[in-house]
Amino acid sequence: MKVLVIGGGGREHAMAWRVAQDSAVDGAYCVPGNAGIAADVSCVPGKILQTKELSSLAEFLEVDCTVVGPEAPLVAGVADEFESRGLPVVGPSQEAARLEGSKVFAKDFLVDNAIPTARSVTLEDERDVDATVGRFGYPVALKADGLAAGKGVLIVQEEAEARARARGMLAGNVVGDAGRRIVVEQFLDGEEVSFMVLSDGEAYCVLPATQDHKRAYDGDAGPNTGGMGAYCDDSILSSAMRDRIIERIVEPSLAGMRRRGTPFKGFLYCGLMITQEGPHVLEFNVRLGDPETQPLLYRLEGEFAELLASASRGALDPSLVRVAERPTACVVMAAGGYPAKYRTGIPIRGLRQAAQQGAKVFHAGTRLAAGSPVTAGGRVLGVTASGAGIGEALSNAYRAVRAIDFEGAHYRSDIGSRGLSRLASENA
Ligand code: AMP
Ligand code: GLY
């Protein structure tokens, strides 16, 4: 079997690497990939928004299945292009991708289907700002409607700032046209969980829960990022909570999309806040999470490529997913300055030593310069390891992190701390 992965970040490295492990796979490709992906599978140059060129590439490579990593090509209709040419693809249609492409659409969908989510109101006229932003008290979440690469959500503590920020967004000064409509949302307090499922439009299978770390610095301080690290451990959710999420959120979401005539095919990521009142949807993504995919796929056993192929054919076989006992963790090493301005082209040392520590270093933002890896993005590497328990997985990951060096590198030193404290309280 031959598989093509679209994208070039840490999530795509994990997917390409994992697909290439399967016994049935004799060709694994990635477009455009990066320096680390090129060490594991064949990379092909290309632009991820050129949907016609991508489908021609899949035809040329004679792949049995294509899986789309990032949201932008899905929102641009890449899956529709593939489907129209009879090419099997894992990823939702443009219409179904609105669950991520428009926060206003997602909120309306959640409310229409009685799926638990924070109370909210849509704001599109600057004249309504003063009367609207305080409706749910403070802090408040202000969310740009459109795609904003992780920069579209502001949590604001008080009224004067909320009014100013909302005006700035509506005027297009924060995330451009993506902010011309905003969702003003009640702040929810609790623990965040990333809950992902794979669906073929009808059937679905549940992937193990993961937990991301969105803030830049230790102790959840600093600005939001794309994610500074994640782990995958059974302690994240009790089985009762998992059942509740499936019953109250996953099944009504998939059924709601079918009822609209836009069945959801692909990975549905439910970004949840587990509050005192139970799980609430903060956001949907229409693809796997990044960096959550790195610890997730590092832990997943079974025939992943076959699983993708079965979903792409509309004949999902959930028995192909098996979850290893050992928990996993991923620590993101970011460029100096990230998530604000950062430099690229900085040489990366110690990758071989890190691998010798037993970790898998997924590349997020790297390229080759004269045959050697250099930085090429804000999130540079996702250092991933497993262990007998979450503590051991984390110490294995951090040992490998300390073997790697590039100028300005920064990472959080408290990835998985919620998992560790859960463990400590269980043992107390
Ligand atoms: P989103 O892209 O909607 O997931 O928002 C990005 C981050 O902002 C989330 O991961 C949360 O940490 C935070 N956030 C979003 N909405 C809320 C909310 N209603 N209450 C509290 N935190 C939120
Ligand atoms: N790590 C969060 C996301 O992939 O959106």
Side-chain angles (χ1 to χ4, degrees):
M1 175 164 57
K2 293 186 172 58
V3 179
L4 172 64
V5 177
I6 296 176
R11 164 185 50 217
E12 290 76 26
H13 191 180
M15 288 200 284
W17 168 84
R18 186 60 189 75
V19 155
Q21 315 278 305
D22 276 13
S23 53
V25 171
D26 56 9
Y29 307 93
C30 187
V31 51
N34 63 35
I37 300 176
D40 288 331
V41 307
S42 310
C43 289
V44 187
K47 296 218 161 50
I48 61 166
L49 291 178
Q50 294 186 341
T51 58
K52 287 201 163 50
E53 285 77 358
L54 292 171
S55 55
S56 300
L57 176 67
E59 258 169 10
F60 173 77
L61 294 171
E62 300 183 329
V63 297
D64 300 281
C65 170
T66 298
V67 55
V68 186
E71 61 278 11
L74 293 164
V75 171
V78 72
D80 309 73
E81 177 67 27
F82 273 66
E83 299 272 0
S84 74
R85 289 166 72 159
L87 298 166
V89 62
V90 180
S93 65
Q94 186 169 39
E95 185 56 30
R98 289 175 71 195
L99 282 178
E100 179 167 0
S102 166
K103 298 259 191 216
V104 173
F105 174 84
K107 289 302 287 195
D108 290 346
F109 174 82
L110 287 162
V111 171
D112 288 350
N113 289 280
I115 298 167
T117 187
R119 291 193 299 147
S120 72
V121 55
T122 302
L123 184 56
E124 39 197 323
D125 189 329
E126 277 196 50
R127 286 170 300 189
D128 298 331
V129 166
D130 291 355
T132 307
V133 289
R135 191 175 298 183
F136 308 112
Y138 295 93
V140 63
L142 303 177
K143 304 186 168 188
D145 178 42
L147 289 185
K151 298 194 171 68
V153 175
L154 302 172
I155 307 293
V156 186
Q157 303 296 329
E158 50 85 29
E159 181 151 291
E161 190 189 353
R163 290 180 176 186
R165 298 280 210 134
R167 284 206 178 80
M169 262 198 188
L170 288 170
N173 298 337
V174 182
V175 286
D177 286 343
R180 300 277 180 193
R181 283 202 299 180
I182 61 181
V183 171
V184 177
E185 194 175 272
Q186 170 200 15
F187 181 83
L188 296 180
D189 213 1
E191 193 168 329
E192 277 188 74
V193 174
S194 307
F195 198 85
M196 295 176 263
V197 301
L198 173 62
S199 176
D200 65 2
E202 290 283 335
Y204 69 92
C205 68
V206 176
L207 301 169
T210 53
Q211 199 159 42
D212 186 14
H213 300 65
K214 289 224 165 86
R215 301 298 197 94
Y217 312 124
D218 283 3
D220 289 331
N224 260 328
T225 69
M228 292 298 287
Y231 66 104
C232 182
D233 179 34
D234 294 342
S235 74
I236 293 172
L237 288 177
S238 68
S239 61
M241 185 58 79
R242 184 174 176 274
D243 291 347
R244 188 162 169 190
I245 291 166
I246 292 169
E247 187 193 325
R248 303 279 313 272
I249 292 170
V250 172
E251 292 192 344
S253 299
L254 295 174
M257 290 304 277
R258 272 196 301 275
R259 231 177 355 258
R260 286 185 78 249
T262 56
F264 189 92
K265 179 175 164 185
F267 289 104
L268 181 65
Y269 169 125
C270 308
L272 306 178
M273 187 70 88
I274 314 290
T275 72
Q276 298 281 335
E277 284 81 47
H280 290 67
V281 176
L282 288 183
E283 65 162 343
F284 285 120
N285 293 323
V286 299
R287 36 101 190 149
L288 285 175
D290 191 347
E292 291 96 322
T293 301
Q294 290 81 315
L296 177 69
L297 292 189
Y298 200 65
R299 192 172 175 210
L300 215 63
E301 292 180 337
E303 299 290 315
F304 182 62
E306 298 270 17
L307 177 73
L308 294 174
S310 73
S312 73
R313 287 193 308 268
L316 182 78
D317 178 359
S319 75
L320 294 164
V321 187
R322 282 204 315 277
V323 183
E325 282 287 319
R326 288 162 70 84
T328 50
C330 168
V331 178
V332 169
M333 297 183 76
Y338 174 81
K341 258 173 88 106
Y342 54 83
R343 282 200 299 130
T344 59
I346 302 164
I348 306 168
R349 289 178 295 268
L351 290 170
R352 191 169 308 143
Q353 290 83 338
Q356 283 163 359
Q357 304 284 347
K360 176 66 188 173
V361 181
F362 292 117
H363 288 223
T366 70
R367 62 182 166 82
L368 289 175
S372 298
V374 300
T375 67
R379 291 189 291 176
V380 178
L381 303 168
V383 182
T384 307
S386 64
I390 186 62
E392 192 179 294
L394 288 161
S395 56
N396 288 340
Y398 277 112
R399 192 171 335 108
V401 164
R402 286 189 295 271
I404 299 172
D405 180 43
F406 57 90
E407 192 195 323
H410 73 94
Y411 56 87
R412 278 182 61 161
S413 60
D414 64 346
I415 300 304
S417 54
R418 284 211 173 79
L420 291 175
S421 40
R422 238 179 264 122
L423 202 66
S425 62
E426 270 166 31
N427 293 338

